[in-house]
Amino acid sequence: MKLVLVGVGQAGGKVMEAMVAYDRQSTGGFVHDAVAVNTARADLLGLEHTPLARRVLIGGSRLKGHGTGADNELGADVASEDIGEVTAALDDVAVHDVDAFLVVAGLGGGTGSGAAPVIARELRRLYSEPVYGLGILPGRAEGSIYSLNAARSFMTFVDHVDNLVVFDNEAWREGGESLRTGYGRINEEIARRLGVLFSAGEVADGRPVGESVVDASEIINTLGSGGVSTVGYAATPIDRPERRLFSRQRVAPDVGDSTNRILSTVRKAALGRLSLPCELSSVERALLVVSGPPAFLDRKGIERSRRWIEAETGSMEVRGGDAPVDSDYVAAAVLFSGVTDVPRVKELQQIAIETQRTMRDIEAEGPEGLQDLLWSGDDGEDGIDPLF
Ligand SMILES: Nc1nc2c(ncn2[C@@H]2O[C@H](COP(=O)(O)OP(=O)(O)OP(=O)(O)O)[C@@H](O)[C@H]2O)c(=O)[nH]1
């Protein structure tokens, strides 16, 4: 599937570049073009794989290239004002060769959180290709304002994309590691999961063609029109005798082993850590992609895995196929779409409601609160005089 990536804000730009890097290194062929949008000049300058003509600074006259400071209303405002500059960066993209757009953003800050829904809305207005979102939720430790931003952006973004694929930083934190140092690892994880999914069916030079290829229309039908998705992934190392230096025999893998290996990898992908943890019984549609060397992609294994996902989710719409690659692993990526039972989203909404209430209370105290703070004398007594 050929995508145009639009990375918005710092996280959006970094994750977009991680996907571009994955695409190049795996010859996946799913990134047709990539554009970065930001209010912070320094973040745009820090990008490594994006040509200058594909880096768009918005809000320059108001924010002087310094970012929004986690104000997502401001992010949305400047994106609306400068939307022409964003779409102009796509003017020379051959959109007729593209299957979809993917707008990528961290939802906890100001720029990505506010501008991504505005950009998605405009892309949908201009193009007939589907526009998907990749939204990254903040970790709990980042604080209430990030949760409030994420909850507000989430509900807006979902409304302006054909599907919102979600990745929760909180679920991906590792013990002893701060979120910040973990970003590189998390970004690679996002790129690998989405890379396996979106590159299925893209036949790059020298890559073998699968037996039951997953094509772009199957991904589009699984994502559907509207709703939220999550992605699971697992990989199992394989022994490839033909690769041993002094091996003379070409030993084909045992079929029974291949079937079981695929089934256990798919179970690990679906029951392990999802990009956004959710109840599998609330999944509407699913898509399974099994990748690995052709000799290890046993059809029966993929078919049994597909039926297992049907049983696990209760969904009748489970698609599946293979994606042959030269690798020392058999990997499974599972896209669960139309999920509705997601505890983390409920939690974010709760934190957001409480934060909004507290902020309103503080605002309501207004000038009297400040007067109380500055007043140092008791009633009837004089206070300290201001300087001027
Ligand atoms: N996975 C991942 N998440 C990130 C990364 N950087 C930031 N985040 C998350 O994204 C959220 C938004 O942060 P930024 O992308 O820096 O913010 P921004 O969109 O540039 O907006 P402002 O800087 O506030 O104008 C944060 O709250 C983090 O949760 C990253 O490299 N990877």
Side-chain angles (χ1 to χ4, degrees):
M1 174 164 189
K2 293 270 186 235
L3 294 176
V4 173
L5 307 180
V6 184
V8 193
Q10 190 181 22
K14 285 199 286 179
V15 170
M16 176 205 85
E17 286 214 327
M19 292 177 75
V20 170
Y22 177 92
D23 192 53
R24 286 187 189 158
Q25 160 247 312
S26 68
T27 58
F30 67 96
V31 179
H32 184 273
D33 224 308
V35 176
V37 180
N38 212 319
T39 58
R41 186 172 284 112
D43 292 347
L44 285 176
L45 289 174
L47 295 172
E48 290 170 24
H49 305 292
T50 312
L52 286 176
R54 294 279 189 266
R55 303 182 197 187
V56 184
L57 182 73
I58 54 170
S61 54
R62 271 169 82 174
L63 306 173
K64 314 286 181 230
H66 296 312
T68 68
D71 180 344
N72 62 354
E73 288 186 14
L74 187 55
D77 275 357
V78 296
S80 300
E81 285 161 16
D82 290 350
I83 195 70
E85 292 175 37
V86 178
T87 52
L90 297 168
D91 274 352
D92 61 341
V93 172
V95 175
H96 55 269
D97 288 336
V98 165
D99 297 303
F101 293 86
L102 182 68
V103 181
V104 186
L107 304 189
T111 304
S113 178
V118 172
I119 293 170
R121 180 180 61 189
E122 184 65 3
L123 293 177
R124 276 180 109 190
R125 196 179 72 77
L126 293 179
Y127 300 103
S128 55
E129 287 71 19
V131 176
Y132 302 118
L134 169 58
I136 299 158
L137 302 181
R140 277 188 199 106
E142 290 187 62
S144 323
I145 188 69
Y146 288 84
S147 299
L148 173 60
N149 282 347
R152 293 182 75 197
S153 177
F154 178 89
M155 62 186 291
T156 318
F157 206 9
V158 125
D159 247 5
H160 293 289
V161 289
D162 291 283
N163 192 290
L164 182 62
V165 182
V166 182
F167 202 98
D168 183 11
N169 276 342
E170 180 60 34
W172 284 83
R173 246 180 51 185
E174 304 251 296
E177 181 188 57
S178 80
L179 204 52
R180 219 148 274 281
T181 55
Y183 282 155
R185 180 183 52 79
I186 295 177
N187 296 353
E188 276 176 26
E189 184 67 44
I190 300 175
R192 187 178 313 119
R193 286 176 178 229
L194 295 186
V196 169
L197 267 180
F198 289 128
S199 58
E202 286 308 317
V203 188
D205 284 348
R207 253 180 104 175
V209 182
E211 262 192 66
S212 54
V213 179
V214 173
D215 60 30
S217 63
E218 287 181 279
I219 303 176
I220 290 172
N221 288 341
T222 305
L223 288 167
S225 45
V228 172
S229 291
T230 177
V231 185
Y233 175 86
T236 308
I238 46 177
D239 183 24
R240 299 176 69 184
E242 81 275 15
R243 285 215 168 173
R244 285 190 211 130
L245 202 51
F246 299 109
S247 171
R248 297 216 177 138
Q249 306 154 285
R250 290 192 65 82
V251 188
D254 182 278
V255 174
D257 281 356
S258 290
T259 310
N260 291 334
R261 184 184 300 108
I262 289 176
L263 189 55
S264 71
T265 310
V266 171
R267 287 175 62 106
K268 245 193 293 172
L271 302 176
R273 201 158 30 159
L274 297 174
S275 66
L276 174 70
C278 72
E279 284 301 327
L280 289 188
S281 56
S282 76
V283 167
E284 227 174 279
R285 297 172 298 278
L287 174 75
L288 164 67
V289 175
V290 181
S291 79
F296 289 80
L297 298 179
D298 171 57
R299 246 197 138 122
K300 210 162 85 192
I302 298 176
E303 195 39 43
R304 273 178 57 188
S305 304
R306 216 183 48 75
R307 286 203 304 272
W308 176 81
I309 294 175
E310 270 180 11
E312 202 67 19
T313 58
S315 163
M316 290 288 106
E317 244 187 280
V318 181
R319 298 171 172 87
D322 58 14
V325 286
D326 187 24
S327 160
D328 292 331
Y329 292 85
V330 162
V334 197
L335 170 70
F336 293 117
S337 173
V339 296
T340 46
D341 191 348
V342 188
R344 176 81 175 116
V345 170
K346 289 275 156 261
E347 179 195 321
L348 269 178
Q349 283 162 346
Q350 208 45 50
I351 299 173
I353 291 168
E354 280 160 27
T355 308
Q356 212 157 29
R357 194 176 299 139
T358 312
M359 284 168 71
R360 286 199 182 122
D361 288 350
I362 293 171
E363 259 170 45
E365 277 181 20
E368 286 113 71
L370 183 62
Q371 285 305 320
D372 283 352
L373 175 72
L374 299 181
W375 176 251
S376 55
D378 292 331
D379 279 351
E381 275 181 36
D382 286 339
I384 306 165
D385 293 328
L387 268 179
F388 49 83

